[in-house]
Amino acid sequence: MEAQMRIILFLMVMISSDTEAEKNLTSTKGGSITLHDPLVEFGFLLHGTKTVAMVNEKKMQILEDNYKNRLHWDNNTGFFTITGLQRNDSGIYTIDPKKGSTPSTSYKLTVYESVSTPAVKRLSVSAESCILLCSVEKAEETTLLWYKDEEILNQSSSALSLLLTVHKQDFSSSYRCVAANPADNKTLPVNITTSCNEQNNTDNSDDTNIRYNFVTGIIISIAFAVFVVLIAIITKKKCLNKTKTTIRQTQGRFGEHRHRCILYCMQISGDRRFQDIRTTQKNYSSITEVIKREDGSQMTSIKDKCHVKQGD
């Protein structure tokens, strides 16, 4: 019986020496971790069932492309370091020295998203209390906590916001909002005296009214300017149309008078081409075309004759 007990104890010691409990590691996306168990002479680094790298004769060979330029091995300490962590780097890493007397070491790595910095705003304030809201942009795997001094007053997991009511008798205490996950945390201290001051509420309302009036004034000014420009454009267009109409009417009257005068001068000057004008030309527009075909010298001579004739 005693011999059997010794055999059982020996087997338990051998089993426990071959493996060690997993060591938990956490980091954030883009961060880095170091596996603080040396692999100096010969052995392997595994991620789950995949062999990531092999060490032999003081040299490391990376066997998985995903770890190239991200997995580093220190030949002095024998430590592995993984940089530029991604979410899919999470899992079990095993350092296997391939020595009978040296146990393998396993690490459980979990990679989290970085926590966003919380923001705090006041929802309402009265003579007796103040209500504050702490919020974050991303809530995945994030816990929000309200602290009063070192005491946790309120907390919520995977929520975008968390309320806190502060009573007047507690205004002198120290408050802070914390956003955290197992690998990262961000803290925002809150000055209750400043944040929950009723005067700030009035000032904020006044600021809001000032901004509203300012924006309204700008909008009205722009609308008025656009209205004035449109009126000016419409008025100018009407004036141009009226001017063009007047010019066309004036030119028409002047042209008619000019043609009649030239025809008269041609007749009294004795120009033979126009002696039978009443029989050869049936309408005034045809006579006008005849006049327009005459060159400048002919027109001048006719005008000169007409001038002399009229002087007689």
Side-chain angles (χ1 to χ4, degrees), residues 298-310:
Q298 290 175 325
M299 290 295 101
T300 302
S301 63
I302 293 172
K303 289 177 182 179
D304 291 341
K305 291 178 183 179
C306 181
H307 178 72
V308 172
K309 197 73 176 176
Q310 286 175 334

Side-chain angles (χ1 to χ4, degrees), residues 194-222:
T194 302
S195 300
C196 294
N197 192 330
E198 289 187 80
Q199 182 62 36
N200 289 341
N201 190 43
T202 303
D203 293 343
N204 290 338
S205 298
D206 292 340
D207 291 342
T208 301
N209 291 333
I210 291 173
R211 287 193 294 268
Y212 175 80
N213 293 335
F214 179 74
V215 172
T216 302
I218 291 177
I219 294 174
I220 293 174
S221 299
I222 293 173

Side-chain angles (χ1 to χ4, degrees), residues 90-105:
S90 298
I92 305 297
Y93 288 83
T94 303
I95 297 175
D96 187 358
K98 288 302 179 185
K99 288 185 177 180
S101 60
T102 305
S104 60
T105 306

Side-chain angles (χ1 to χ4, degrees), residues 109-133:
L109 172 64
T110 305
V111 180
Y112 295 89
E113 292 284 349
S114 296
V115 174
S116 59
T117 302
V120 173
K121 68 176 181 180
R122 183 185 63 198
L123 297 184
S124 65
V125 61
S126 66
E128 299 299 326
S129 65
C130 176
I131 299 177
L132 301 175
L133 180 71

Side-chain angles (χ1 to χ4, degrees), residues 221-233:
S221 299
I222 293 173
F224 179 77
V226 171
F227 177 77
V228 171
V229 171
L230 289 175
I231 292 298
I233 292 173

